[in-house]
Amino acid sequence: MTQQPKQERAIQTRKEILRAAAVVFDESGFAGASINRILKEAGVTAGALYFHFSSKKELAGAIMNAQPDTIIPWLTSEGLQRLVDITLVWAQQLQSDVVLRAGVRLTSEQSSFGVRDITPYQDWSRIMADCLHHAVDKGELQAGVEPTELAEFMVEACTGMQTYSAVASEARADLVDRVVRMWRLLMPGIAVPTVIARTEVNPSRAKAATLNAIESASSDNAV
């Protein structure tokens, strides 16, 4: 009977450490983030942190690889619509979710702290390729569109797009609009006409999913 609450506390503590570290990494990058600042932000002891993470580098890696967890749980769509929704929610969440934002920053800056980990990019490519394979099964894509190739291109495009947006606008405020424009340009070359007509490339889909994420996070914090 006592084992389950202990496990739940450990899981909650790990989440709190990850989020606190994300706040510090997002503000200061890897080099500027000290363990003491992370401990203060999390309100935990050094022992609690090192129980879950052996080093600051391991903690950074966990945040880098947590990016999909900030988006995928809030999606219910399938096929091409799911891929569109991933990019819309990603663009919206980058403005509000510190774990995602820190993960993106650390992934971009990783060579500066001695890491060369392609896993975050590969994870996104795999997730997007799964959407596109499903789209193929549903007859949504034009002949000749190769899901794995397109998925990797999407990751490359989104990586460059968020970097551009971070410089071009305050807090990536224009990123959702850039994603909508990307799909307007890309959709005619990959999808069949009937699918183009029914696929929603609408920022309101991202806002609804983001609201669900915020409400869930508030509920977790209340516990």
PDB file of all heavy atoms in Angstrom, residues 10 15 39 41 50 53 57 74 90 94 97 100 108 116-117 119 122-123 130 133 179 181 194 196 216 218-219 223:
ATOM      1  N   ALA A  10       7.900  10.067  -6.449  1.00  0.00           N
ATOM      2  CA  ALA A  10       9.147  10.080  -7.229  1.00  0.00           C
ATOM      3  C   ALA A  10       8.900  10.599  -8.639  1.00  0.00           C
ATOM      4  O   ALA A  10       9.684  11.400  -9.170  1.00  0.00           O
ATOM      5  CB  ALA A  10       9.748   8.675  -7.280  1.00  0.00           C
ATOM      6  N   LYS A  15       9.266  15.223 -12.457  1.00  0.00           N
ATOM      7  CA  LYS A  15       8.611  16.219 -13.313  1.00  0.00           C
ATOM      8  C   LYS A  15       8.949  17.638 -12.856  1.00  0.00           C
ATOM      9  O   LYS A  15       9.207  18.524 -13.670  1.00  0.00           O
ATOM     10  CB  LYS A  15       7.091  16.020 -13.290  1.00  0.00           C
ATOM     11  CG  LYS A  15       6.586  14.842 -14.097  1.00  0.00           C
ATOM     12  CD  LYS A  15       5.060  14.786 -14.027  1.00  0.00           C
ATOM     13  CE  LYS A  15       4.503  13.619 -14.833  1.00  0.00           C
ATOM     14  NZ  LYS A  15       3.028  13.546 -14.732  1.00  0.00           N
ATOM     15  N   LEU A  39      18.132  23.737  -8.410  1.00  0.00           N
ATOM     16  CA  LEU A  39      17.639  23.265  -7.115  1.00  0.00           C
ATOM     17  C   LEU A  39      16.716  24.299  -6.466  1.00  0.00           C
ATOM     18  O   LEU A  39      15.662  23.966  -5.924  1.00  0.00           O
ATOM     19  CB  LEU A  39      18.808  22.973  -6.173  1.00  0.00           C
ATOM     20  CG  LEU A  39      19.696  21.784  -6.535  1.00  0.00           C
ATOM     21  CD1 LEU A  39      20.888  21.708  -5.579  1.00  0.00           C
ATOM     22  CD2 LEU A  39      18.916  20.478  -6.509  1.00  0.00           C
ATOM     23  N   GLU A  41      14.986  26.660  -8.007  1.00  0.00           N
ATOM     24  CA  GLU A  41      13.752  26.741  -8.797  1.00  0.00           C
ATOM     25  C   GLU A  41      12.829  25.564  -8.499  1.00  0.00           C
ATOM     26  O   GLU A  41      11.611  25.717  -8.411  1.00  0.00           O
ATOM     27  CB  GLU A  41      14.102  26.773 -10.291  1.00  0.00           C
ATOM     28  CG  GLU A  41      12.922  26.902 -11.229  1.00  0.00           C
ATOM     29  CD  GLU A  41      12.255  28.265 -11.208  1.00  0.00           C
ATOM     30  OE1 GLU A  41      12.944  29.268 -10.934  1.00  0.00           O
ATOM     31  OE2 GLU A  41      11.034  28.332 -11.466  1.00  0.00           O
ATOM     32  N   TYR A  50      19.989  14.317  -7.831  1.00  0.00           N
ATOM     33  CA  TYR A  50      20.944  13.312  -8.298  1.00  0.00           C
ATOM     34  C   TYR A  50      20.394  11.888  -8.198  1.00  0.00           C
ATOM     35  O   TYR A  50      20.956  10.974  -8.805  1.00  0.00           O
ATOM     36  CB  TYR A  50      22.266  13.444  -7.534  1.00  0.00           C
ATOM     37  CG  TYR A  50      23.061  14.666  -7.974  1.00  0.00           C
ATOM     38  CD1 TYR A  50      23.321  15.699  -7.079  1.00  0.00           C
ATOM     39  CD2 TYR A  50      23.517  14.772  -9.281  1.00  0.00           C
ATOM     40  CE1 TYR A  50      24.041  16.825  -7.483  1.00  0.00           C
ATOM     41  CE2 TYR A  50      24.237  15.894  -9.696  1.00  0.00           C
ATOM     42  CZ  TYR A  50      24.485  16.914  -8.799  1.00  0.00           C
ATOM     43  OH  TYR A  50      25.178  18.022  -9.210  1.00  0.00           O
ATOM     44  N   PHE A  53      18.886  12.206 -11.832  1.00  0.00           N
ATOM     45  CA  PHE A  53      19.790  12.601 -12.919  1.00  0.00           C
ATOM     46  C   PHE A  53      21.221  12.653 -12.391  1.00  0.00           C
ATOM     47  O   PHE A  53      21.489  13.298 -11.375  1.00  0.00           O
ATOM     48  CB  PHE A  53      19.393  13.973 -13.480  1.00  0.00           C
ATOM     49  CG  PHE A  53      17.964  14.034 -13.943  1.00  0.00           C
ATOM     50  CD1 PHE A  53      16.993  14.610 -13.134  1.00  0.00           C
ATOM     51  CD2 PHE A  53      17.580  13.513 -15.168  1.00  0.00           C
ATOM     52  CE1 PHE A  53      15.674  14.670 -13.544  1.00  0.00           C
ATOM     53  CE2 PHE A  53      16.260  13.562 -15.590  1.00  0.00           C
ATOM     54  CZ  PHE A  53      15.301  14.139 -14.776  1.00  0.00           C
ATOM     55  N   LYS A  57      24.319  17.466 -17.589  1.00  0.00           N
ATOM     56  CA  LYS A  57      24.242  17.049 -18.995  1.00  0.00           C
ATOM     57  C   LYS A  57      23.135  16.008 -19.197  1.00  0.00           C
ATOM     58  O   LYS A  57      22.391  16.060 -20.189  1.00  0.00           O
ATOM     59  CB  LYS A  57      25.597  16.492 -19.446  1.00  0.00           C
ATOM     60  CG  LYS A  57      25.701  16.254 -20.947  1.00  0.00           C
ATOM     61  CD  LYS A  57      27.104  15.794 -21.357  1.00  0.00           C
ATOM     62  CE  LYS A  57      28.091  16.925 -21.271  1.00  0.00           C
ATOM     63  NZ  LYS A  57      29.403  16.554 -21.866  1.00  0.00           N
ATOM     64  N   TRP A  74      -1.963  15.541 -26.612  1.00  0.00           N
ATOM     65  CA  TRP A  74      -3.133  16.409 -26.788  1.00  0.00           C
ATOM     66  C   TRP A  74      -3.783  16.252 -28.159  1.00  0.00           C
ATOM     67  O   TRP A  74      -4.718  16.979 -28.495  1.00  0.00           O
ATOM     68  CB  TRP A  74      -2.725  17.874 -26.564  1.00  0.00           C
ATOM     69  CG  TRP A  74      -1.827  17.996 -25.382  1.00  0.00           C
ATOM     70  CD1 TRP A  74      -0.530  18.408 -25.363  1.00  0.00           C
ATOM     71  CD2 TRP A  74      -2.131  17.633 -24.033  1.00  0.00           C
ATOM     72  NE1 TRP A  74      -0.006  18.330 -24.099  1.00  0.00           N
ATOM     73  CE2 TRP A  74      -0.964  17.857 -23.266  1.00  0.00           C
ATOM     74  CE3 TRP A  74      -3.281  17.144 -23.392  1.00  0.00           C
ATOM     75  CZ2 TRP A  74      -0.925  17.606 -21.895  1.00  0.00           C
ATOM     76  CZ3 TRP A  74      -3.229  16.896 -22.035  1.00  0.00           C
ATOM     77  CH2 TRP A  74      -2.064  17.131 -21.301  1.00  0.00           C
ATOM     78  N   TRP A  90       2.849  22.485 -31.975  1.00  0.00           N
ATOM     79  CA  TRP A  90       4.268  22.754 -31.706  1.00  0.00           C
ATOM     80  C   TRP A  90       4.543  24.254 -31.763  1.00  0.00           C
ATOM     81  O   TRP A  90       5.183  24.817 -30.859  1.00  0.00           O
ATOM     82  CB  TRP A  90       5.116  21.992 -32.719  1.00  0.00           C
ATOM     83  CG  TRP A  90       6.540  22.427 -32.847  1.00  0.00           C
ATOM     84  CD1 TRP A  90       7.585  22.085 -32.028  1.00  0.00           C
ATOM     85  CD2 TRP A  90       7.095  23.261 -33.873  1.00  0.00           C
ATOM     86  NE1 TRP A  90       8.752  22.664 -32.476  1.00  0.00           N
ATOM     87  CE2 TRP A  90       8.480  23.379 -33.607  1.00  0.00           C
ATOM     88  CE3 TRP A  90       6.557  23.899 -34.985  1.00  0.00           C
ATOM     89  CZ2 TRP A  90       9.323  24.146 -34.417  1.00  0.00           C
ATOM     90  CZ3 TRP A  90       7.385  24.659 -35.802  1.00  0.00           C
ATOM     91  CH2 TRP A  90       8.762  24.778 -35.509  1.00  0.00           C
ATOM     92  N   LEU A  94       5.441  26.394 -28.328  1.00  0.00           N
ATOM     93  CA  LEU A  94       6.750  27.028 -28.170  1.00  0.00           C
ATOM     94  C   LEU A  94       6.634  28.395 -27.500  1.00  0.00           C
ATOM     95  O   LEU A  94       7.595  28.890 -26.906  1.00  0.00           O
ATOM     96  CB  LEU A  94       7.452  27.173 -29.524  1.00  0.00           C
ATOM     97  CG  LEU A  94       8.409  26.044 -29.899  1.00  0.00           C
ATOM     98  CD1 LEU A  94       8.904  26.201 -31.326  1.00  0.00           C
ATOM     99  CD2 LEU A  94       9.585  25.984 -28.929  1.00  0.00           C
ATOM    100  N   ASP A  97       5.028  26.709 -23.485  1.00  0.00           N
ATOM    101  CA  ASP A  97       5.512  25.545 -22.749  1.00  0.00           C
ATOM    102  C   ASP A  97       7.031  25.624 -22.590  1.00  0.00           C
ATOM    103  O   ASP A  97       7.782  25.463 -23.559  1.00  0.00           O
ATOM    104  CB  ASP A  97       5.123  24.260 -23.476  1.00  0.00           C
ATOM    105  CG  ASP A  97       5.355  23.019 -22.616  1.00  0.00           C
ATOM    106  OD1 ASP A  97       6.481  22.852 -22.111  1.00  0.00           O
ATOM    107  OD2 ASP A  97       4.416  22.217 -22.454  1.00  0.00           O
ATOM    108  N   LEU A 100       9.182  22.463 -23.682  1.00  0.00           N
ATOM    109  CA  LEU A 100       9.392  22.386 -25.126  1.00  0.00           C
ATOM    110  C   LEU A 100      10.414  23.422 -25.572  1.00  0.00           C
ATOM    111  O   LEU A 100      11.334  23.125 -26.349  1.00  0.00           O
ATOM    112  CB  LEU A 100       8.064  22.591 -25.858  1.00  0.00           C
ATOM    113  CG  LEU A 100       8.143  22.629 -27.384  1.00  0.00           C
ATOM    114  CD1 LEU A 100       8.690  21.321 -27.940  1.00  0.00           C
ATOM    115  CD2 LEU A 100       6.769  22.932 -27.987  1.00  0.00           C
ATOM    116  N   SER A 108      19.413  22.763 -30.180  1.00  0.00           N
ATOM    117  CA  SER A 108      20.126  23.631 -31.122  1.00  0.00           C
ATOM    118  C   SER A 108      21.545  23.949 -30.654  1.00  0.00           C
ATOM    119  O   SER A 108      22.456  24.092 -31.460  1.00  0.00           O
ATOM    120  CB  SER A 108      19.355  24.945 -31.312  1.00  0.00           C
ATOM    121  OG  SER A 108      18.069  24.704 -31.840  1.00  0.00           O
ATOM    122  N   ARG A 116      26.460  15.523 -29.101  1.00  0.00           N
ATOM    123  CA  ARG A 116      26.047  15.418 -30.505  1.00  0.00           C
ATOM    124  C   ARG A 116      24.985  14.317 -30.572  1.00  0.00           C
ATOM    125  O   ARG A 116      25.261  13.173 -30.910  1.00  0.00           O
ATOM    126  CB  ARG A 116      27.243  15.076 -31.394  1.00  0.00           C
ATOM    127  CG  ARG A 116      26.910  15.154 -32.884  1.00  0.00           C
ATOM    128  CD  ARG A 116      28.140  14.897 -33.727  1.00  0.00           C
ATOM    129  NE  ARG A 116      27.832  14.949 -35.149  1.00  0.00           N
ATOM    130  CZ  ARG A 116      28.716  14.748 -36.118  1.00  0.00           C
ATOM    131  NH1 ARG A 116      29.970  14.490 -35.800  1.00  0.00           N
ATOM    132  NH2 ARG A 116      28.355  14.798 -37.387  1.00  0.00           N
ATOM    133  N   ASP A 117      23.762  14.703 -30.234  1.00  0.00           N
ATOM    134  CA  ASP A 117      22.657  13.750 -30.096  1.00  0.00           C
ATOM    135  C   ASP A 117      21.578  14.065 -31.127  1.00  0.00           C
ATOM    136  O   ASP A 117      20.850  15.059 -30.993  1.00  0.00           O
ATOM    137  CB  ASP A 117      22.091  13.822 -28.671  1.00  0.00           C
ATOM    138  CG  ASP A 117      20.992  12.796 -28.424  1.00  0.00           C
ATOM    139  OD1 ASP A 117      20.752  11.954 -29.319  1.00  0.00           O
ATOM    140  OD2 ASP A 117      20.378  12.835 -27.341  1.00  0.00           O
ATOM    141  N   THR A 119      19.012  12.234 -31.624  1.00  0.00           N
ATOM    142  CA  THR A 119      17.773  11.563 -31.212  1.00  0.00           C
ATOM    143  C   THR A 119      16.542  12.464 -31.242  1.00  0.00           C
ATOM    144  O   THR A 119      15.488  12.038 -31.738  1.00  0.00           O
ATOM    145  CB  THR A 119      17.928  10.943 -29.815  1.00  0.00           C
ATOM    146  OG1 THR A 119      19.075  10.104 -29.797  1.00  0.00           O
ATOM    147  CG2 THR A 119      16.701  10.127 -29.432  1.00  0.00           C
ATOM    148  N   GLN A 122      15.452  12.701 -34.779  1.00  0.00           N
ATOM    149  CA  GLN A 122      14.988  11.402 -35.277  1.00  0.00           C
ATOM    150  C   GLN A 122      13.638  11.015 -34.691  1.00  0.00           C
ATOM    151  O   GLN A 122      12.808  10.418 -35.385  1.00  0.00           O
ATOM    152  CB  GLN A 122      16.032  10.328 -34.962  1.00  0.00           C
ATOM    153  CG  GLN A 122      17.303  10.461 -35.788  1.00  0.00           C
ATOM    154  CD  GLN A 122      18.353   9.435 -35.397  1.00  0.00           C
ATOM    155  OE1 GLN A 122      18.430   8.993 -34.253  1.00  0.00           O
ATOM    156  NE2 GLN A 122      19.178   9.054 -36.363  1.00  0.00           N
ATOM    157  N   ASP A 123      13.412  11.354 -33.430  1.00  0.00           N
ATOM    158  CA  ASP A 123      12.117  11.066 -32.811  1.00  0.00           C
ATOM    159  C   ASP A 123      11.000  11.796 -33.551  1.00  0.00           C
ATOM    160  O   ASP A 123       9.944  11.216 -33.837  1.00  0.00           O
ATOM    161  CB  ASP A 123      12.120  11.473 -31.337  1.00  0.00           C
ATOM    162  CG  ASP A 123      12.890  10.508 -30.454  1.00  0.00           C
ATOM    163  OD1 ASP A 123      13.198   9.390 -30.930  1.00  0.00           O
ATOM    164  OD2 ASP A 123      13.171  10.857 -29.292  1.00  0.00           O
ATOM    165  N   ASP A 130       5.170   8.222 -39.151  1.00  0.00           N
ATOM    166  CA  ASP A 130       4.019   7.387 -38.779  1.00  0.00           C
ATOM    167  C   ASP A 130       2.713   8.026 -39.258  1.00  0.00           C
ATOM    168  O   ASP A 130       1.822   7.338 -39.778  1.00  0.00           O
ATOM    169  CB  ASP A 130       3.965   7.191 -37.264  1.00  0.00           C
ATOM    170  CG  ASP A 130       5.039   6.241 -36.748  1.00  0.00           C
ATOM    171  OD1 ASP A 130       5.643   5.527 -37.580  1.00  0.00           O
ATOM    172  OD2 ASP A 130       5.266   6.217 -35.524  1.00  0.00           O
ATOM    173  N   HIS A 133       2.618   7.561 -43.078  1.00  0.00           N
ATOM    174  CA  HIS A 133       2.312   6.181 -43.479  1.00  0.00           C
ATOM    175  C   HIS A 133       0.816   5.905 -43.329  1.00  0.00           C
ATOM    176  O   HIS A 133       0.203   5.239 -44.177  1.00  0.00           O
ATOM    177  CB  HIS A 133       3.131   5.190 -42.631  1.00  0.00           C
ATOM    178  CG  HIS A 133       4.553   5.045 -43.075  1.00  0.00           C
ATOM    179  ND1 HIS A 133       4.908   4.537 -44.309  1.00  0.00           N
ATOM    180  CD2 HIS A 133       5.728   5.344 -42.434  1.00  0.00           C
ATOM    181  CE1 HIS A 133       6.224   4.524 -44.424  1.00  0.00           C
ATOM    182  NE2 HIS A 133       6.742   5.006 -43.307  1.00  0.00           N
ATOM    183  N   VAL A 179       3.707  28.538 -39.942  1.00  0.00           N
ATOM    184  CA  VAL A 179       3.317  27.146 -40.153  1.00  0.00           C
ATOM    185  C   VAL A 179       2.125  27.060 -41.099  1.00  0.00           C
ATOM    186  O   VAL A 179       2.094  26.211 -42.010  1.00  0.00           O
ATOM    187  CB  VAL A 179       2.990  26.467 -38.812  1.00  0.00           C
ATOM    188  CG1 VAL A 179       2.311  25.115 -39.031  1.00  0.00           C
ATOM    189  CG2 VAL A 179       4.264  26.268 -37.990  1.00  0.00           C
ATOM    190  N   ARG A 181       1.343  29.173 -43.421  1.00  0.00           N
ATOM    191  CA  ARG A 181       1.852  29.482 -44.759  1.00  0.00           C
ATOM    192  C   ARG A 181       2.617  28.293 -45.345  1.00  0.00           C
ATOM    193  O   ARG A 181       2.479  27.987 -46.546  1.00  0.00           O
ATOM    194  CB  ARG A 181       2.771  30.708 -44.705  1.00  0.00           C
ATOM    195  CG  ARG A 181       3.302  31.130 -46.081  1.00  0.00           C
ATOM    196  CD  ARG A 181       4.221  32.322 -45.977  1.00  0.00           C
ATOM    197  NE  ARG A 181       5.428  32.007 -45.216  1.00  0.00           N
ATOM    198  CZ  ARG A 181       6.390  32.893 -44.960  1.00  0.00           C
ATOM    199  NH1 ARG A 181       6.266  34.147 -45.353  1.00  0.00           N
ATOM    200  NH2 ARG A 181       7.461  32.531 -44.284  1.00  0.00           N
ATOM    201  N   THR A 194      -9.162  16.122 -52.712  1.00  0.00           N
ATOM    202  CA  THR A 194     -10.251  15.979 -51.736  1.00  0.00           C
ATOM    203  C   THR A 194      -9.739  16.111 -50.299  1.00  0.00           C
ATOM    204  O   THR A 194     -10.454  16.613 -49.428  1.00  0.00           O
ATOM    205  CB  THR A 194     -10.956  14.619 -51.892  1.00  0.00           C
ATOM    206  OG1 THR A 194      -9.976  13.565 -51.839  1.00  0.00           O
ATOM    207  CG2 THR A 194     -11.703  14.548 -53.223  1.00  0.00           C
ATOM    208  N   ILE A 196      -7.025  17.900 -49.427  1.00  0.00           N
ATOM    209  CA  ILE A 196      -6.694  19.316 -49.233  1.00  0.00           C
ATOM    210  C   ILE A 196      -7.936  20.080 -48.783  1.00  0.00           C
ATOM    211  O   ILE A 196      -7.885  20.909 -47.869  1.00  0.00           O
ATOM    212  CB  ILE A 196      -6.137  19.928 -50.534  1.00  0.00           C
ATOM    213  CG1 ILE A 196      -4.791  19.283 -50.902  1.00  0.00           C
ATOM    214  CG2 ILE A 196      -5.955  21.444 -50.378  1.00  0.00           C
ATOM    215  CD1 ILE A 196      -4.245  19.710 -52.243  1.00  0.00           C
ATOM    216  N   SER A 216      -4.350  20.656 -17.934  1.00  0.00           N
ATOM    217  CA  SER A 216      -3.801  19.424 -17.369  1.00  0.00           C
ATOM    218  C   SER A 216      -2.614  19.713 -16.458  1.00  0.00           C
ATOM    219  O   SER A 216      -2.467  19.140 -15.378  1.00  0.00           O
ATOM    220  CB  SER A 216      -3.373  18.473 -18.481  1.00  0.00           C
ATOM    221  OG  SER A 216      -2.785  17.311 -17.968  1.00  0.00           O
ATOM    222  N   SER A 218      -2.037  22.489 -14.835  1.00  0.00           N
ATOM    223  CA  SER A 218      -2.556  23.121 -13.610  1.00  0.00           C
ATOM    224  C   SER A 218      -3.116  22.075 -12.653  1.00  0.00           C
ATOM    225  O   SER A 218      -2.922  22.148 -11.448  1.00  0.00           O
ATOM    226  CB  SER A 218      -3.643  24.131 -13.966  1.00  0.00           C
ATOM    227  OG  SER A 218      -3.122  25.153 -14.784  1.00  0.00           O
ATOM    228  N   SER A 219      -3.771  21.069 -13.234  1.00  0.00           N
ATOM    229  CA  SER A 219      -4.344  19.996 -12.422  1.00  0.00           C
ATOM    230  C   SER A 219      -3.233  19.187 -11.748  1.00  0.00           C
ATOM    231  O   SER A 219      -3.320  18.839 -10.574  1.00  0.00           O
ATOM    232  CB  SER A 219      -5.196  19.103 -13.311  1.00  0.00           C
ATOM    233  OG  SER A 219      -5.796  18.087 -12.562  1.00  0.00           O
ATOM    234  N   VAL A 223      -2.215  18.780  -7.564  1.00  0.00           N
ATOM    235  CA  VAL A 223      -1.987  17.537  -6.826  1.00  0.00           C
ATOM    236  C   VAL A 223      -0.663  17.599  -6.092  1.00  0.00           C
ATOM    237  O   VAL A 223      -0.535  17.290  -4.955  1.00  0.00           O
ATOM    238  CB  VAL A 223      -1.996  16.334  -7.808  1.00  0.00           C
ATOM    239  CG1 VAL A 223      -1.623  15.073  -7.068  1.00  0.00           C
ATOM    240  CG2 VAL A 223      -3.332  16.199  -8.471  1.00  0.00           C
TER     241      VAL A 223
END
